[in-house]
């Protein structure tokens, strides 16, 4: 497809008349027959910069409108770094990476992660089941600093 402007008195394409200075779109094959009578303004790509993503949903219980909204939101925020005082990078990191916390062959790391989760539960933290080890360590350290738990006996 091309966007063209009539430069002569007029031109007729597929039974439609266009007159001097009219701008319209024409297919590539129609353009070939009228290219002497028009100026090509721009070449239009059918899809532009759009790409089609097709998703097959087998779960019939899902509300497809909600899934569509969620996916559009994910695509809009893909690759963006959260900013502002209300953003929490740890939470966004957990959602965006969607990485399983446990390594199948590494039981030592599993034990450490479970110990961190138990410690976080003792400190009253919530939503710890989906946090990664590094996030848990940072949150526990933050709570310890607020409560003064890791201060030395002199209080310095």
């Amino acid at each position: 497809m091309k966007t063209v402007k009539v430069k002569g008195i007029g031109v007729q394409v597929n039974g439609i008349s266009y007159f001097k200075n009219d701008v319209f779109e024409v297919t590539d094959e129609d353009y070939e027959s009228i290219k002497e009578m028009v100026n090509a303004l721009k070449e239009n790509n059918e899809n532009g910069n759009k790409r089609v993503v097709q998703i097959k949903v087998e779960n019939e219980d899902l509300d497809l409108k909600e899934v569509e909204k969620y996916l559009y939101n994910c695509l809009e925020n893909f690759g963006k770094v959260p900013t502002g005082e209300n953003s929490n990078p740890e939470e966004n990191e957990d959602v965006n990476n969607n990485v399983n916390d446990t390594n199948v062959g590494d039981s030592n790391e599993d034990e450490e992660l479970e110990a961190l989760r138990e410690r976080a539960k003792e400190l009253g933290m919530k939503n710890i089941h989906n946090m990664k080890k590094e996030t848990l360590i940072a949150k526990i350290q933050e709570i310890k600093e607020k409560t003064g738990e890791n201060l030395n006996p002199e209080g310095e």
Side-chain angles (χ1 to χ4, degrees), residues 51-88:
R51 292 191 280 172
V52 176
V53 177
Q54 193 172 29
I55 299 173
K56 181 179 179 182
V57 179
E58 295 178 359
N59 185 350
E60 294 177 3
D61 298 334
L62 289 176
D63 180 13
L64 294 181
K65 291 291 182 187
E66 290 296 318
V67 171
E68 184 180 23
K69 287 179 189 176
Y70 175 77
L71 290 173
Y72 276 120
N73 187 30
C74 288
L75 289 173
E76 286 178 13
N77 296 323
F78 183 76
K80 293 181 182 176
V81 177
T83 57
E85 57 184 53
N86 291 336
S87 64
N88 189 349

Side-chain angles (χ1 to χ4, degrees), residues 55-140:
I55 299 173
K56 181 179 179 182
V57 179
E58 295 178 359
N59 185 350
E60 294 177 3
D61 298 334
L62 289 176
D63 180 13
L64 294 181
K65 291 291 182 187
E66 290 296 318
V67 171
E68 184 180 23
K69 287 179 189 176
Y70 175 77
L71 290 173
Y72 276 120
N73 187 30
C74 288
L75 289 173
E76 286 178 13
N77 296 323
F78 183 76
K80 293 181 182 176
V81 177
T83 57
E85 57 184 53
N86 291 336
S87 64
N88 189 349
E90 288 86 6
E91 289 176 6
N92 291 333
E93 183 178 303
D94 291 336
V95 171
N96 290 339
N97 290 339
N98 197 14
V99 176
N100 198 358
D101 287 336
T102 58
N103 294 334
V104 176
D106 198 355
S107 62
N108 190 22
E109 192 167 314
D110 289 345
E111 293 171 8
E112 187 177 3
L113 183 61
E114 286 303 314
L116 284 169
R117 286 181 176 157
E118 287 298 316
R119 180 67 180 133
K121 194 182 292 184
E122 291 171 7
L123 292 170
M125 289 176 54
K126 296 184 180 186
N127 298 325
I128 57 174
H129 61 280
N130 61 353
M131 289 186 189
K132 290 191 266 182
K133 185 173 100 172
E134 294 81 14
T135 306
L136 280 169
I137 292 170
K139 294 271 188 180
I140 290 171

Side-chain angles (χ1 to χ4, degrees), residues 8-19:
I9 296 173
V11 66
Q12 189 171 23
V13 180
N14 296 329
I16 301 172
S17 297
Y18 300 96
F19 299 100

